[in-house]
Amino acid sequence: MNIKPISRRAFLLGGAALVPYLYFQTKFIAVTRYTIPVNNLPANFHGFTILHLTDLHSKEYGDSQEKLLNLIKKQQFDMVAITGDMVVKNNPSLEPSLQLIRGLKNIPVYFVPGNHDQILKKQMLESFTSLGVQVLENKAEKIVRGDSHFWLLGVDDPYLGLDRLDLALQGVDETSPRR
């Protein structure tokens, strides 16, 4: 195998490209909006909006997550779905997640753990539950508005083989929309 040494110029250019990447990996927050059609969605839920947070990996966005919370407060939504990897497994810190959840007062929050969360799962689930978060670990929650409802399902991490859709679907009637 013929390995060619890297030139100083290539090393410096590569390093210069790496700096913005690392900066944005820890500082950038993306907001993307999707409209997802749901068959048979009751009229009471037209325009229902879910704020989806995922893969925060113990990142901190200002003191007590103020930058992230300020951005969240500018959005219009009916509930929050957090779909795992709130900590990073090689250096887990639960406090950034707890600060975020404390800032989401009076908002329905649902959580499904990810593969990184397994390292602190027991502590995380106890803490989140004590703050009013509904944990959807292989289970469903009936979301009600007036006399209408839909089912919100959560399954544990499929990467680790902990997902059990069969358990999440228990008790869910087949005629109701579910997402």
Side-chain angles (χ1 to χ4, degrees):
M1 177 187 281
N2 186 11
I3 300 174
K4 195 173 179 180
I6 189 169
S7 72
R8 181 172 179 223
R9 176 181 284 160
F11 177 78
L12 290 174
L13 286 173
L18 183 62
V19 170
Y21 171 78
L22 292 175
Y23 174 81
F24 285 117
Q25 280 296 99
T26 59
K27 302 297 181 193
F28 185 70
I29 305 169
V31 175
T32 307
R33 297 178 195 283
Y34 296 99
T35 300
I36 300 171
V38 178
N39 292 335
N40 304 319
L41 185 69
N44 288 352
F45 288 100
H46 288 188
F48 189 86
T49 302
I50 300 171
L51 178 78
H52 179 212
L53 299 171
T54 191
D55 294 279
L56 294 180
H57 293 284
S58 299
K59 289 187 179 99
E60 296 182 43
Y61 297 95
D63 293 335
S64 299
Q65 298 291 45
E66 66 181 314
K67 290 179 183 177
L68 180 56
L69 287 165
N70 286 337
L71 181 61
I72 288 171
K73 289 175 184 172
K74 292 177 185 175
Q75 311 307 311
Q76 293 184 353
F77 54 92
D78 298 289
M79 63 173 271
V80 176
I82 302 174
T83 57
D85 290 351
M86 295 302 286
V87 300
V88 62
K89 64 182 162 190
N90 62 351
N91 188 16
S93 173
L94 190 54
E95 191 55 32
S97 298
L98 296 175
Q99 291 171 344
L100 172 65
I101 291 169
R102 285 185 200 112
L104 296 172
K105 297 175 189 161
N106 304 318
I107 300 168
V109 178
Y110 297 87
F111 174 72
V112 177
N115 65 307
H116 285 257
D117 300 324
Q118 302 303 316
I119 196 162
L120 291 178
K121 186 174 180 177
K122 184 176 191 281
Q123 179 185 357
M124 179 182 284
L125 297 184
E126 288 172 0
S127 298
F128 285 11
T129 301
S130 74
L131 293 171
V133 173
Q134 294 289 331
V135 176
L136 296 181
E137 191 175 20
N138 295 320
K139 66 184 241 182
E141 182 77 22
K142 189 177 193 177
I143 308 297
V144 178
R145 231 186 213 183
D147 60 352
S148 302
H149 71 274
F150 73 89
W151 291 93
L152 182 69
L153 279 66
V155 293
D156 206 335
D157 186 60
Y159 179 76
L160 297 174
L162 301 173
D163 55 321
R164 291 286 310 271
L165 183 59
D166 59 320
L167 293 178
L169 286 169
Q170 285 182 355
V172 175
D173 61 90
E174 292 291 323
T175 60
S176 296
R178 43 189 180 202
R179 261 297 163 208

